[in-house]
Amino acid sequence: MPERWHVSSAVVSVRDTHRDAVAEGLMSLEGVEIHGGDATRLIITIEGGSTGQLGDRLTEINLMPGVLVANMVFEHAEEPEEAEEPICHST
Protein backbone atom coordinates (compact mmCIF):
# COMPACT_ATOMS: atom_id res chain seq x y z
CA MET A 1 0.00 0.00 0.00
CA PRO A 2 1.44 3.41 -0.95
CA GLU A 3 2.26 5.74 1.90
CA ARG A 4 0.45 8.95 2.69
CA TRP A 5 1.62 12.16 1.11
CA HIS A 6 2.54 14.94 3.54
CA VAL A 7 3.46 18.54 2.82
CA SER A 8 4.32 21.33 5.21
CA SER A 9 5.32 24.94 4.91
CA ALA A 10 8.07 26.44 7.03
CA VAL A 11 9.84 29.74 7.61
CA VAL A 12 13.62 29.47 7.85
CA SER A 13 15.29 32.43 9.60
CA VAL A 14 18.91 32.85 8.53
CA ARG A 15 21.88 35.10 9.16
CA ASP A 16 21.89 37.61 6.32
CA THR A 17 25.54 36.75 5.60
CA HIS A 18 24.60 33.07 5.11
CA ARG A 19 21.37 33.44 3.13
CA ASP A 20 22.76 32.33 -0.23
CA ALA A 21 24.60 29.34 1.26
CA VAL A 22 21.52 28.25 3.18
CA ALA A 23 19.34 28.63 0.07
CA GLU A 24 21.78 26.49 -1.90
CA GLY A 25 21.75 23.86 0.85
CA LEU A 26 17.95 23.84 0.97
CA MET A 27 17.70 23.39 -2.80
CA SER A 28 19.92 20.31 -2.55
CA LEU A 29 17.55 18.58 -0.12
CA GLU A 30 15.06 16.11 -1.58
CA GLY A 31 11.46 17.21 -1.10
CA VAL A 32 12.33 20.84 -0.24
CA GLU A 33 11.37 23.84 -2.39
CA ILE A 34 11.95 27.55 -1.78
CA HIS A 35 8.96 29.76 -2.59
CA GLY A 36 10.15 33.20 -1.49
CA GLY A 37 11.78 35.17 1.23
CA ASP A 38 13.90 38.20 1.99
CA ALA A 39 17.39 38.88 3.35
CA THR A 40 16.85 36.92 6.57
CA ARG A 41 13.92 34.56 5.89
CA LEU A 42 13.18 31.83 3.39
CA ILE A 43 9.70 30.41 2.83
CA ILE A 44 9.82 26.71 1.98
CA THR A 45 7.70 23.62 1.56
CA ILE A 46 8.77 20.15 2.61
CA GLU A 47 7.19 17.01 1.12
CA GLY A 48 7.47 13.45 2.41
CA GLY A 49 5.73 10.22 3.26
CA SER A 50 5.11 10.88 6.96
CA THR A 51 5.01 13.51 9.66
CA GLY A 52 8.23 11.95 10.98
CA GLN A 53 10.00 12.51 7.66
CA LEU A 54 8.95 16.15 7.66
CA GLY A 55 10.14 16.57 11.25
CA ASP A 56 13.47 14.90 10.47
CA ARG A 57 13.98 17.21 7.48
CA LEU A 58 13.09 20.25 9.59
CA THR A 59 15.64 19.16 12.21
CA GLU A 60 18.25 18.76 9.47
CA ILE A 61 17.49 22.30 8.27
CA ASN A 62 17.72 23.68 11.83
CA LEU A 63 21.23 22.22 12.11
CA MET A 64 22.52 23.85 8.90
CA PRO A 65 25.22 26.50 9.39
CA GLY A 66 23.72 29.98 9.18
CA VAL A 67 20.18 28.88 10.11
CA LEU A 68 18.89 30.63 13.22
CA VAL A 69 15.62 28.69 13.39
CA ALA A 70 13.27 26.80 11.07
CA ASN A 71 9.63 26.72 12.15
CA MET A 72 6.89 24.59 10.60
CA VAL A 73 3.83 26.70 9.87
CA PHE A 74 1.35 24.27 8.36
CA GLU A 75 1.07 20.55 7.56
CA HIS A 76 -1.33 18.70 5.30
CA ALA A 77 -1.63 14.96 4.60
CA GLU A 78 -3.58 12.97 2.03
CA GLU A 79 -4.29 9.30 1.59
CA PRO A 80 -2.93 7.83 -1.68
CA GLU A 81 -6.36 7.76 -3.34
CA GLU A 82 -6.84 11.45 -2.46
CA ALA A 83 -3.47 12.34 -4.00
CA GLU A 84 -4.51 11.10 -7.45
CA GLU A 85 -5.07 13.66 -10.18
CA PRO A 86 -8.07 15.84 -9.28
CA ILE A 87 -11.11 16.03 -11.51
CA CYS A 88 -11.29 19.41 -13.19
CA HIS A 89 -14.69 20.81 -14.10
CA SER A 90 -14.52 23.52 -16.73
CA THR A 91 -17.30 26.01 -17.33
Side-chain angles (χ1 to χ4, degrees):
M1 177 177 189
E3 53 188 28
R4 294 178 77 182
W5 174 77
H6 292 253
V7 62
S8 71
S9 59
V11 176
V12 182
S13 296
V14 301
R15 295 185 189 282
D16 59 351
T17 56
H18 290 76
R19 185 196 186 279
D20 292 340
V22 170
E24 187 175 315
L26 290 171
M27 290 186 291
S28 73
L29 297 175
E30 185 177 343
V32 175
E33 291 183 33
I34 299 172
H35 297 277
D38 58 24
T40 60
R41 290 175 299 193
L42 296 165
I43 310 305
I44 65 169
T45 54
I46 306 169
E47 295 184 22
S50 69
T51 298
Q53 272 186 336
L54 301 181
D56 290 347
R57 183 65 79 204
L58 194 64
T59 297
E60 183 179 0
I61 292 167
N62 267 298
L63 296 174
M64 295 173 83
V67 171
L68 300 173
V69 66
N71 291 309
M72 189 178 292
V73 177
F74 177 81
E75 181 181 355
H76 175 75
E78 292 183 3
E79 296 297 331
E81 59 274 3
E82 291 177 274
E84 293 177 9
E85 191 170 320
I87 298 171
C88 181
H89 300 282
S90 59
T91 57

